[in-house]
Amino acid sequence: MPQQNGYFQIEIVENDSICHFYPPSDGGVRFPMKEALEYLTAEGYTDFDMNEFSSKLNSDTEETMYIGIGSGSEFSEYMKVRVSLDRMKAVCRFMPPSLNGSLLDSRDIINRLNNLGIIFGIDQDAIIEFFNDRCYATDYNFANGKLPRIGHDAKIEYFFNTNPTLKPKLNEDGSVNYKELNTICEVKKGDLLARLIPADMGERGKDIYGKEIPTREVHSKKLSFSRNVEINEDKTEIRSNVDGHVALIDDQVFVSDVLEIPADVDNSTGNINYSGNVHIAGNVRGGFTVSAGGDIVVDGVVEAAFLKAGGQIIVKCGIHGKHSGMLESKSNVISQFIENARVFAGGYVETGSILYSDVNAGGDVLVEEKKGFILGGVVRAGGKVLSQTIGSDMGAPTRIEVGIAPEKKERYAFLNKEITGINMKINRITPVIRTYSDFLSKGGTLDDKNREYMQMLLNELNDLRKNLQGLRTEYNALHQDMLHSVRASVDVRRDVFPGVTVAVSELSTTTKEKRSFCRFQKKNGRVEVTNL
């Protein structure tokens, strides 16, 4: 026998009404007194002994009692409908008719649901299940809304290293092997480079009243690539057309067959300007320029020359700048040494020594070779500077700067305030537009004044969102700078000599005495020196 909750049924004998009580069975629950009173009141029963009624309702045996006259006529099976707060579910409970009253059929149930506006997701099987085995005072789920299916943004899967940050190998004796590097991604003709996983737009849902429930907005993407790349028919995969090297530059896949210079860059070659990677087997002589869209690798030395790369610059035998050499890289600069030169790197700088040079890195400056040193000049890093030795006994003016600049901090705070203000305006405008949209979707019409006002709100919302996008882009970039600033430090693995100026963000200090194995870091509103 299936589980049955407790319930009661009214028998009408002439003008009197007798209530028959049926206790729960097989783990069922007792009928709530509050619900019983609501039911009896609806049928006109108010003049009876409530204490006696409560006692019999909670009895473990079948009971009867006289409860008065009521309406005096037979009544049909009773159905109560409860809708969930999210309008996604209609739960029905039934009470039996009077002993000779009529039962509901499926048409009665569906009409009752429809009269309440419930038109979607009605479960015919659940209704049939109720008819097959009527259980009173029991919840039946007769209607279910459809939840929206959440989609996902388009994604691009890359099949090569999109962030080449492999550093030179540090040998056991403390030296750095600048001739054994593997930071360029080689590809063969036909290699798969990237695959687009298209956006899934998702699917709208509906509540039981038939109102659509939107899914979240998703963003599409497309594969972006330069020459030497082919794309398939459905534009979801790209492959290399040549043997060469691949890099991701500004979200664009770039493949080039490397330009090989078999000897020096000098009068025999002239200046080099190439859209891909450049490999120079010899030296770059003074006065010449090498410009590459990808990486520049020089097996020899760079003299008083100008090198500019969209990727990395690797100089295996060092830089003799002679006070006029300059290197610019959007990524990393790796060299055996840097002497009398200017260096600008978007990523990190890795070298064996820096001598009287102006070195700038968006990331770290690392002078980790066993005898590595920084002597004279200025070294700036968005992250940290790490060196074995800084300065000298002769007191050569040496300046080290790390961390974010003060003006960037002010801009960061300003952008944060602006973004908060725009979001507040958007949150005020959006509900008003939604109200207008709901009104129009129900067949309403707007007079000229309200139509102009709605259009003004839409234009303002569009302008606010465009402005917000630009501010967020700048804000996120500065946020990355702030993260670098938090970890900004100058680490000295061996000795720092007197006369070295260390600046961390807007604060600075100049060493008065020799110190060893120490770290300079911003703490408590000043530059503090602690032991490593």
Side-chain angles (χ1 to χ4, degrees):
M1 182 177 180
Q3 174 182 293
Q4 172 66 62
N5 293 337
Y7 69 100
F8 57 88
Q9 187 174 25
I10 308 298
E11 179 183 6
I12 300 174
V13 181
E14 297 182 352
N15 287 329
D16 294 326
S17 296
I18 306 299
C19 186
H20 298 274
F21 297 88
Y22 300 96
S25 62
D26 296 307
V29 297
R30 299 186 184 282
F31 197 97
M33 183 65 179
K34 180 181 178 182
E35 188 176 339
L37 294 178
E38 290 176 355
Y39 171 71
L40 292 172
T41 301
E43 298 299 337
Y45 298 102
T46 57
D47 188 16
F48 57 91
D49 188 331
M50 291 191 183
N51 290 330
E52 181 184 1
F53 184 90
S54 176
S55 175
K56 293 182 180 296
L57 185 67
N58 291 295
S59 175
D60 292 328
T61 60
E62 294 187 6
E63 302 280 356
T64 61
M65 72 172 282
Y66 172 80
I67 61 168
I69 298 175
S71 62
S73 59
E74 301 285 346
F75 50 89
S76 61
E77 195 172 32
Y78 176 81
M79 172 178 139
K80 179 180 179 181
V81 181
R82 186 177 73 253
V83 176
S84 61
L85 291 176
D86 60 2
R87 301 157 60 102
M88 296 296 287
K89 186 180 294 187
V91 177
C92 302
R93 286 171 69 89
F94 295 85
M95 282 296 290
S98 58
L99 194 61
N100 295 310
S102 61
L103 296 174
L104 298 174
D105 60 20
S106 61
R107 182 179 298 177
D108 295 326
I109 291 175
I110 292 174
N111 286 340
R112 174 71 192 285
L113 293 173
N114 290 164
N115 289 337
L116 293 173
I118 300 169
I119 59 174
F120 179 81
I122 295 176
D123 191 342
Q124 301 280 359
D125 291 338
I127 295 174
I128 292 172
E129 181 182 349
F130 166 72
F131 289 135
N132 290 338
D133 185 15
R134 274 180 162 85
C135 289
Y136 293 115
T138 300
D139 288 343
Y140 287 88
N141 188 8
F142 281 173
N144 293 285
K146 178 184 177 183
L147 290 172
R149 184 175 62 80
I150 305 301
H152 62 74
D153 295 339
K155 295 184 290 185
I156 297 178
E157 184 180 8
Y158 295 100
F159 297 93
F160 60 92
N161 182 11
T162 60
N163 185 25
T165 57
L166 186 63
K167 299 175 183 177
K169 181 181 179 181
L170 190 65
N171 296 326
E172 292 182 0
D173 61 359
S175 63
V176 179
N177 188 349
Y178 291 93
K179 295 181 172 60
E180 297 296 330
L181 300 170
N182 186 27
T183 58
I184 299 175
C185 299
E186 295 187 10
V187 292
K188 299 293 183 183
K189 183 176 181 179
D191 282 355
L192 178 63
L193 304 177
R195 177 181 291 130
L196 172 67
I197 301 173
D200 179 359
M201 305 308 293
E203 185 179 0
R204 291 189 173 193
K206 274 188 180 181
D207 64 22
I208 59 176
Y209 296 103
K211 184 176 180 180
E212 282 195 343
I213 303 171
T215 186
R216 78 171 181 87
E217 183 181 358
V218 299
H219 302 284
S220 298
K221 288 185 177 182
K222 65 178 182 179
L223 293 170
S224 179
F225 55 92
S226 185
R227 62 187 183 88
N228 296 327
V229 174
E230 64 179 6
I231 192 167
N232 62 353
E233 288 186 1
D234 60 4
K235 301 187 184 304
T236 58
E237 291 184 352
I238 55 176
R239 296 178 181 272
S240 175
N241 264 339
V242 297
D243 294 343
H245 292 81
V246 60
L248 187 66
I249 301 174
D250 295 331
D251 293 327
Q252 186 177 63
V253 177
F254 184 92
V255 175
S256 69
D257 42 340
V258 179
L259 175 63
E260 298 282 353
I261 307 297
D264 294 348
V265 173
D266 55 17
N267 289 325
S268 65
T269 62
N271 292 330
I272 304 297
N273 188 352
Y274 186 61
S275 58
N277 300 313
V278 176
H279 178 207
I280 301 165
N283 308 309
V284 181
R285 298 299 181 184
F288 289 92
T289 297
V290 179
S291 179
D295 300 317
I296 298 175
V297 178
V298 181
D299 290 348
V301 299
V302 173
E303 297 178 355
F306 174 63
L307 274 64
K308 184 175 182 179
Q312 300 186 104
I313 296 177
I314 299 169
V315 185
K316 295 183 180 179
C317 293
I319 303 165
H320 289 290
K322 299 180 181 179
H323 302 289
S324 60
M326 185 168 72
L327 287 77
E328 290 184 8
S329 168
K330 288 188 176 181
S331 182
N332 312 314
V333 173
I334 301 170
S335 177
Q336 189 169 7
F337 61 84
I338 301 172
E339 179 183 334
N340 294 311
R342 288 183 296 163
V343 173
F344 300 88
Y348 65 82
V349 172
E350 173 88 10
T351 184
S353 61
I354 299 174
L355 183 64
Y356 295 105
S357 295
D358 183 357
V359 176
N360 303 267
D364 300 335
V365 175
L366 307 172
V367 189
E368 295 188 271
E369 193 167 299
K370 189 175 181 180
K371 296 182 180 181
F373 61 86
I374 299 173
L375 176 58
V378 180
V379 174
R380 303 179 183 90
K384 68 179 179 180
V385 171
L386 188 155
S387 181
Q388 300 291 340
T389 301
I390 301 178
S392 71
D393 283 325
M394 302 299 293
T398 305
R399 183 175 179 86
I400 311 295
E401 299 178 5
V402 294
I404 191 171
E407 59 270 19
K408 285 190 176 182
K409 284 187 176 180
E410 292 178 7
R411 181 65 178 169
Y412 181 84
F414 171 79
L415 289 173
N416 186 47
K417 184 177 180 181
E418 285 291 295
I419 289 170
T420 301
I422 290 176
N423 278 325
M424 291 176 64
K425 290 180 181 178
I426 290 174
N427 290 336
R428 286 198 301 267
I429 292 173
T430 302
V432 180
I433 293 175
R434 188 181 298 117
T435 300
Y436 275 113
S437 298
D438 290 344
F439 176 74
L440 291 172
S441 67
K442 294 176 181 177
T445 58
L446 298 176
D447 57 27
D448 291 343
K449 182 178 180 181
N450 279 291
R451 187 164 52 252
E452 289 177 5
Y453 180 65
M454 180 179 177
Q455 188 59 50
M456 181 194 72
L457 291 178
L458 289 171
N459 293 337
E460 183 179 357
L461 181 61
N462 187 47
D463 291 341
L464 286 170
R465 284 174 172 168
K466 285 182 179 179
N467 190 22
L468 182 63
Q469 183 177 4
L471 292 176
R472 278 179 171 165
T473 299
E474 184 181 358
Y475 179 86
N476 290 336
L478 285 175
H479 185 67
Q480 293 302 313
D481 289 344
M482 292 288 286
L483 292 178
H484 279 302
S485 179
V486 170
R487 68 180 186 86
S489 66
V490 177
D491 291 0
V492 182
R493 294 280 179 83
R494 191 176 301 146
D495 301 318
V496 57
F497 290 91
V500 174
T501 298
V502 176
V504 182
S505 295
E506 75 281 13
L507 305 175
S508 66
T509 186
T510 301
T511 56
K512 305 299 183 184
E513 58 185 4
K514 179 180 176 181
R515 292 200 58 158
S516 301
F517 309 106
C518 59
R519 168 175 291 166
F520 295 79
Q521 199 167 26
K522 180 180 175 181
K523 287 184 179 180
N524 305 317
R526 61 192 181 93
V527 178
E528 289 190 358
V529 187
T530 57
N531 293 330
L532 283 177

